[in-house]
Amino acid sequence: MAQADPPAGTGSGSDPAAHPPGTGPATRRSRLLRLGAPAVAATALTATVALYMTLVAFGNITDFGTNQQFVRHVLSMDTTFRDPDLMWRAVESPALQNAAYVAVIVWEALAALVLLAATRLWCTGLRRGAYDRARAASTVGLVMVLLLFGMGFLAIGGEWFAMWQSSDWNGLDAAARNVALAAFALLVVHLPGPRAADAGRT
């Protein structure tokens, strides 16, 4: 005698209650893939650099004198080897030194604001799946960081004002770390998204 078919919904894997909507293996896999997507990493790195630049600018504003001394000594080149062939580059005017320091703080604050806005755009983009505006804003902010610490500190401060010669007022290591962080974040920001074929399997 032929075996009767099981009642509808009681067969293996066919019970809707076994995997409520949004909790099945495919959904969990999709969520894991989204967490591991380049856009999530770009959001995290942009937020990290944004927080760092915000704290740097805040520290320089609220503790103005500490790094003011750093800028003054670097520009005046008074702790270098004082080679006569280089000392003509020194900037000894307090007004120019302070102007340079204020310009650095303004640049830091602007970079922080741009990166904070970029972080918000990334968070919005993660919900909508659109990242063009976030990527553009991150690029502007990260390039600002690269210009400040790469061109400003490594090139101009380190080489033109011979900061590498100073054992007391040498910010090259910190500048190099900041350049590395911003450059790495910029690379991640411009990573391609998941391929269409992979997205279709989720």
Side-chain angles (χ1 to χ4, degrees), residues 144-166:
M144 290 178 72
V145 175
L146 288 173
L147 288 174
L148 175 63
F149 292 106
M151 182 184 294
F153 284 83
L154 292 182
I156 297 176
E159 294 302 321
W160 182 257
F161 291 107
M163 184 167 58
W164 66 271
Q165 297 180 2
S166 176

Side-chain angles (χ1 to χ4, degrees), residues 127-140:
R127 295 193 298 268
R128 299 177 179 176
Y131 310 116
D132 289 344
R133 294 179 63 193
R135 186 173 288 113
S138 286
T139 300
V140 172

Side-chain angles (χ1 to χ4, degrees), residues 63-84:
D63 184 22
F64 188 87
T66 298
N67 279 332
Q68 181 188 30
Q69 293 302 309
F70 171 81
V71 172
R72 182 176 68 82
H73 284 291
V74 170
L75 296 182
S76 64
M77 301 175 64
D78 58 356
T79 58
T80 65
F81 300 162
R82 303 188 69 85
D83 187 337

Side-chain angles (χ1 to χ4, degrees), residues 119-134:
T119 301
R120 182 176 179 179
L121 289 171
W122 277 112
C123 292
T124 302
L126 288 175
R127 295 193 298 268
R128 299 177 179 176
Y131 310 116
D132 289 344
R133 294 179 63 193

Side-chain angles (χ1 to χ4, degrees), residues 5-195:
D5 293 333
T10 61
S12 175
S14 62
D15 185 0
H19 299 295
T23 62
T27 301
R28 288 195 297 268
R29 180 172 179 269
S30 176
R31 288 175 178 171
L32 286 175
L33 287 175
R34 285 199 296 269
L35 285 176
V40 176
T43 303
L45 281 169
T46 300
T48 298
V49 183
L51 176 61
Y52 174 75
M53 292 304 299
T54 300
L55 294 177
V56 168
F58 179 77
N60 284 338
I61 292 170
T62 57
D63 184 22
F64 188 87
T66 298
N67 279 332
Q68 181 188 30
Q69 293 302 309
F70 171 81
V71 172
R72 182 176 68 82
H73 284 291
V74 170
L75 296 182
S76 64
M77 301 175 64
D78 58 356
T79 58
T80 65
F81 300 162
R82 303 188 69 85
D83 187 337
D85 293 332
L86 297 179
M87 289 306 295
W88 62 270
R89 303 176 183 177
V91 175
E92 298 180 344
S93 167
L96 291 177
Q97 293 170 354
N98 289 334
Y101 182 42
V102 170
V104 167
I105 295 175
V106 170
W107 191 268
E108 291 169 345
L110 289 175
L113 289 174
V114 172
L115 289 169
L116 287 171
T119 301
R120 182 176 179 179
L121 289 171
W122 277 112
C123 292
T124 302
L126 288 175
R127 295 193 298 268
R128 299 177 179 176
Y131 310 116
D132 289 344
R133 294 179 63 193
R135 186 173 288 113
S138 286
T139 300
V140 172
L142 292 170
V143 168
M144 290 178 72
V145 175
L146 288 173
L147 288 174
L148 175 63
F149 292 106
M151 182 184 294
F153 284 83
L154 292 182
I156 297 176
E159 294 302 321
W160 182 257
F161 291 107
M163 184 167 58
W164 66 271
Q165 297 180 2
S166 176
S167 59
D168 297 322
W169 303 96
N170 191 330
L172 292 179
D173 287 344
R177 290 194 298 270
N178 294 334
V179 167
L181 175 61
F184 179 69
L186 191 60
L187 288 175
V188 173
V189 161
H190 286 276
L191 285 176
R195 293 175 299 177

